[in-house]
Amino acid sequence: MIYNEKYETMDIDEKKELQLRRLQKIVKTAYEKVPFYKKKFDDAGVKPEDIKTLKDIEKIPFTTKADLREAYPFGMFAVDEEEIVEIHTTSGTTGKPTVTGYTKKDIGIWQEIIARAIVMAGGGKKDIIQNGYGYGLFTGGLGVHHGGYKLGAIVVPMSSGNTKRQLEIMSDFQTTILTCTPSYAMYLAESLEKIGLTKKDISLKTGIFGAEMWTSEMRDKLEEKLGIDALNIYGLTELTGPGVAMECLEKSGLHISDDHFYPEIIDPKTKKSLNEGEKGELVLTTLTKEGMPVIRFRTKDLTSINWNKCKCGRTTPRISRISGRSDDMLKVRGVIVFPSQIESAILKIEGLTPNYQIIITRPEFLDEIDILVEATPALFSDEMKEMEEIEIKIANEIKKEIGLRVNLQIVESESLPRSEGKAVRVIDKRNLEN
């Protein structure tokens, strides 16, 4: 089943004509109504009328997360504030969060692309969707909620946490679709076994999982333990939230709603466009966003693109599973983390040196963060009880900064490896390539 056959199965040449019209319009809007873009275009010597073909998008400068942060809070809006009906933000990263605003039309488009995603997962009006994504400023919860409402399905707004209640609801309501992070889905699966239930005691058929990178092995385990099709959803707060791309039941890549988002793949070092099938950094342009158009946004996500028609019948391009990022930003349990955030928390404590190491592992299915931090000789000679209290204090400071629990250990001064070049602060031992 396809939710919107007109756009999801559109002839490629017809789609390109549509994209060009929309690109020309959004570029003109951004230039005329967003001072940031007018300056950006003028500095690059580009005018809206220079965009005569889709290839001409390469003349336009990139937009980065740093650009959006500098415009905090409403500097990127293309409409008057009274036209904005909903606002979401990222979690904050190294400073101010990035903000995105939606008009009523934008919310309608968001509903549409999530409805498409749910149908790609085999969903329909008769389904009960248990929404385990977080509500609030995070886009996940309300994004899925908007789409389920549009589709006409029943949405159970559980949000994350309260695992026992989640499982009770899943069993009592006979939920058919689960939406949450894949690591939390695995935790639910393992908790199900612990309370003596099996996949036969629930009615799940599909999981729509995103907000963090996950492997094909994780998919296999989730499908085995829950008896479902485990599918990948992709999105960014900066553009709209979840629904930018979604995996269909063929599981051969994530379909981009390219009537609303124009995709490019670039070499992150040279910034040159890459060919179909070559892995590089995903760059996205909103084609229909009223409240906050975003032109050539560097996502930092590494993937490749396939323009061939899918066996499901859709002609929308497909990106491969995100295998990593082109910067030092980490995504752990669905939360964006920068090493500098951890450093900031460490440096608030007297007696610690700036030398630390972050080790990220996935021993089972949940990410773990282990942090080793060097102490001064004076601090390291303190009593064991005092050391333990300091470790707890630091761990709490880091949790306040990033919102995640960490395993922290104070180590002796000069015990961590040194480098003559750039310090190796992060060791990511997760296998995210498969």
Side-chain angles (χ1 to χ4, degrees), residues 315-427:
T315 57
T316 46
R318 286 164 286 149
I319 55 172
S320 61
R321 179 187 296 271
I322 303 298
S323 61
R325 294 184 56 80
S326 62
D327 63 3
D328 65 345
M329 190 174 82
L330 305 168
K331 186 171 276 189
V332 183
R333 292 181 232 151
V335 176
I336 299 298
V337 177
F338 278 83
S340 55
Q341 290 176 280
I342 292 173
E343 180 173 295
S344 174
I346 288 172
L347 294 179
K348 291 177 182 177
I349 309 298
E350 282 188 291
L352 299 178
T353 76
N355 298 310
Y356 62 92
Q357 198 163 67
I358 304 164
I359 303 168
I360 305 175
T361 59
R362 189 174 285 173
E364 292 294 335
F365 301 103
L366 281 173
D367 295 336
E368 294 289 338
I369 304 177
D370 293 288
I371 299 174
L372 306 177
V373 57
E374 288 183 1
T376 60
L379 178 62
F380 198 76
S381 64
D382 284 347
E383 295 292 330
M384 183 64 70
K385 183 178 179 182
E386 290 183 36
M387 292 279 286
E388 289 174 352
E389 289 174 352
I390 294 170
E391 286 176 344
I392 293 170
K393 182 179 179 180
I394 303 166
N396 287 337
E397 284 292 333
I398 293 172
K399 186 176 181 181
K400 278 193 265 182
E401 189 72 29
I402 68 174
L404 293 173
R405 175 189 58 79
V406 301
N407 307 312
L408 187 131
Q409 181 183 352
I410 295 175
V411 297
E412 191 173 359
S413 179
E414 299 186 4
S415 63
L416 295 178
R418 297 295 195 268
S419 171
E420 292 182 2
K422 186 177 179 181
V424 180
R425 297 295 194 198
V426 180
I427 299 175

Side-chain angles (χ1 to χ4, degrees), residues 178-226:
L178 174 65
T179 63
C180 61
T181 63
S183 56
Y184 187 60
M186 182 58 68
Y187 184 68
L188 287 172
E190 293 175 342
S191 299
L192 188 73
E193 295 172 356
K194 289 177 183 177
I195 64 173
L197 296 177
T198 70
K199 58 188 176 185
K200 295 180 180 178
D201 298 309
I202 57 177
S203 298
L204 284 183
K205 64 177 184 180
T206 308
I208 298 176
F209 304 133
E212 64 186 21
M213 290 180 283
W214 52 301
T215 63
S216 55
E217 287 83 2
M218 173 77 97
R219 187 210 298 274
D220 293 342
K221 289 290 186 182
L222 284 168
E223 292 186 340
E224 176 189 348
K225 289 179 175 290
L226 293 174

Side-chain angles (χ1 to χ4, degrees), residues 45-183:
V46 180
K47 299 294 183 185
E49 53 267 28
D50 294 333
I51 309 303
K52 296 179 171 62
T53 69
L54 288 175
K55 181 74 173 172
D56 288 335
I57 195 173
E58 296 176 18
K59 297 176 181 178
I60 300 173
F62 296 104
T63 303
T64 67
K65 184 179 281 285
D67 293 329
L68 302 186
R69 281 199 214 106
E70 288 176 12
Y72 180 88
F74 305 144
M76 295 294 287
F77 288 0
V79 297
D80 293 334
E81 287 180 29
E82 55 262 34
E83 293 184 55
I84 298 293
V85 298
E86 189 165 312
I87 285 176
H88 288 275
T89 75
T90 58
S91 56
T93 63
T94 56
K96 293 291 186 181
T98 59
V99 176
T100 188
Y102 307 74
T103 64
K104 286 183 179 179
K105 181 181 176 183
D106 294 333
I107 294 295
I109 290 170
W110 200 11
Q111 290 177 325
E112 159 84 17
I113 62 175
I114 292 289
R116 292 182 192 180
I118 296 169
V119 172
M120 279 189 213
K125 291 183 178 180
K126 294 182 179 180
D127 281 289
I128 299 176
I129 302 169
Q130 188 158 323
N131 190 10
Y133 288 114
Y135 281 70
L137 290 174
F138 174 59
T139 55
L142 279 170
V144 171
H145 198 108
H146 285 317
Y149 175 82
K150 173 78 171 179
L151 183 60
I154 295 175
V155 180
V156 184
M158 286 297 297
S159 194
S160 56
N162 201 347
T163 300
K164 182 180 178 183
R165 185 63 175 150
Q166 291 269 7
L167 296 174
E168 288 174 351
I169 291 292
M170 195 180 294
S171 176
D172 294 345
F173 290 11
Q174 291 296 284
T175 303
T176 55
I177 297 176
L178 174 65
T179 63
C180 61
T181 63
S183 56

